[in-house]
Amino acid sequence: MRTDVQVNFRLPHDLRTWLEAQKEKNRRSLTAEIVIAIQERKERAEQKEAA
């Protein structure tokens, strides 16, 4: 059984276009690109809070 949560949300068109380009460049799925972007943002926020 999967433990990840499915989420539906709207994106601005320009952000969707950028993510589509990134997924092609990095040979990933759109979901993987979104997850990586959120993970990187989370890590930066945690580093900033620790400083």
Side-chain angles (χ1 to χ4, degrees):
M1 182 195 307
R2 295 189 69 137
T3 58
D4 20 341
V5 178
Q6 186 176 25
V7 179
N8 296 314
F9 56 92
R10 296 182 187 274
L11 287 174
H13 182 71
D14 61 331
L15 184 53
R16 171 70 186 245
T17 301
W18 181 80
L19 284 166
E20 289 285 346
Q22 292 301 301
K23 84 175 183 89
E24 295 297 325
K25 175 182 162 189
N26 297 318
R27 301 180 57 130
R28 296 183 182 125
S29 68
L30 184 58
T31 298
E33 268 314 312
I34 293 168
V35 168
I36 288 168
I38 294 170
Q39 285 174 330
E40 288 174 353
R41 174 62 176 93
K42 179 180 176 274
E43 288 171 7
R44 284 194 310 270
E46 289 172 347
Q47 288 173 355
K48 188 175 181 180
E49 289 172 4

